[in-house]
Amino acid sequence: MTLPPPMRGFEDLGFEIVEGKVVYCGAKEDEVDSFGVFELEGDVDYVDRDCELQHSSISEFDRHCEVVFPSSTGLLNSFVDQSYAAGTSDEIMFEEATKSELLYKDFNSEEEAYDIYNEYAFKHGSGIRIDKSKSRNDGSLKMKRFVCCNEGWKDEKAKNKRTYERLNIRTGCLAFIQFKIDRLGLWTCTKHYMKHNHHMIPLEKRHLLRSQRNVSKENLQFMSTLRCSGVKISAALRAMKKDVGGSPNLGFTAPDAYNSLSAEKRALLDGCDSHQLIKYFAKRQLDEAEFYYDFEQDEDGCLVNFFWRDGRIKRDYEYFGDLLVFDTTYRTNKYGMICAPFVGMNHHANNLMFGMGFIFNERTESFVWLFDTFLKSMGNKSPITIMTDQAQAIAAGIRNVFPPSVHHRLCVWHIEQNSKKHIGALRALDGFTDLFGYLLKYCETPAEFEHFWKRMLMKYKCEKDYWLCDLYKIKEMWCPAYSKKHWSGGVLSSQRSETTNKSVSERLNKTQGLCDFYHVFLDVICEWRSKENGNDFNTLRGNRHLAFAHISILVHAKSLYTIQAYIIFEEEFIKGTAYEHSDAGLHFPEYSYHLSRSGKDKIRHEVVFNKETHVMFSFSSCISFTLCT
């Protein structure tokens, strides 16, 4: 048993400190027949005049206390009451009332008793917390005590002090309320001590007391809905504070909100995150015949890779699967797994999801498994073009899985970003970035590319730069001039996949798991499909006006294309009006023309028109060109 250090004035009760012990020695002979000794720390010892020092249990100590301090004298209760106030201010800072308004009142449940006392404490400016309780042999509760939040003492014996520890508000306050619970569950207040040894909290700050803060189910559901919709919790809190008239009326703080949302997420997972995700997949496969999923485990049975797609995704891929954009730069989840979406483009030039994969690492084996699973899920239908970044493991996976007819394009945006690391000094030179950007994006013929590449090497003396030499060796994988025979929809970068990642990152963070990602991707896919339906509706209702009236080719294009596709065609047509043409010869039924933009192009393009078949050929993709004089 440990007693707190004695307060000033305890000598008046007949006690003295002898060698670190509290010794009672002042009782009258007719009141006490022996004296007692209490250790300040450790177990309980007692001394009897006729016996040597003995060690006793707590129950034995209680019996001897009755000898040393007969209950009729009230000395022991007085000593204990004052000892609990030791180490604090010995004056009462606040007394709630002279007579309790809760004493001997009955309550039907613990929640009701707690709420009533909490409301009572708020009225006086203090917080409360749950303290000790006692149970019967059958486990039913027979006593419960709630205490002031300043009750007790903080453990100062901790070896490792942390800078982020909670504030120490303990002052050893003795204010409490105690309830007796009968076997019928009726709670009766039997004790109520109302004196505090600390100041009360002002009214305008009482909403910050821990016991006065609570995130209701309605508020939690509202914040969860906003978070799933991409609204940040901080923004949701600002809106809620404004709605209720300020922070004091909200009922909780920002940390309370984050903690409650985390607790809700842990409850929803219901065990292992990966197991729950597979349960979701299995249930959808039972409900949807065309739903497909697969996963891979390591030797320990842990989930390392998985892939899924639904039936609508497969149908979209059958229509629009010529271009496949694949990117693995996003890994915002608490496991660090790599998010690998397969993205395409529909007839409105909008994003389409062709499948979603997660892989544990970026080794070739992981990409081989993922690509093989993707092709299997799509009936082994391969795209015409697949666009990725410059990762060697991805390239190896494509070579091992996809047929040679699939054209592997590299994202020019990633190449440009890599150039900042490898040729930063060259990029600092005047005019280099403009010329390098033109080579990456705008060269229309191989001859044009070769001309400007040599010009760049000679002008900036970078013929021996290793990174540029390696980039030139794979020019067929990134230069538009070498890729015209492979349809890619005019896409030059994996920006479509990165747009997917951005849509997800706005709603998730690194503390969230795989089940969270699964549900968010469902929302993203639903939004994309809703957008497609809206575009289909607009196309059915009509089309935009023509930029030029009575132009047959525009009228014809308008009847064939969706609004978005027509706008792209019309913009290219308008750009074409800036070209000047001249006859390049006649070889019936073919007419040849040279096209160029005066003052801009240094290369003229040759176009051939067949009068019988009405087919027009552009030899810009070949080497046939002449330099402008």
Side-chain angles (χ1 to χ4, degrees), residues 262-278:
S262 297
E264 181 193 40
K265 183 185 69 175
R266 288 193 298 268
L268 289 175
L269 288 181
D270 190 25
C272 180
D273 193 20
S274 59
H275 291 172
Q276 185 64 34
L277 182 67
I278 300 303

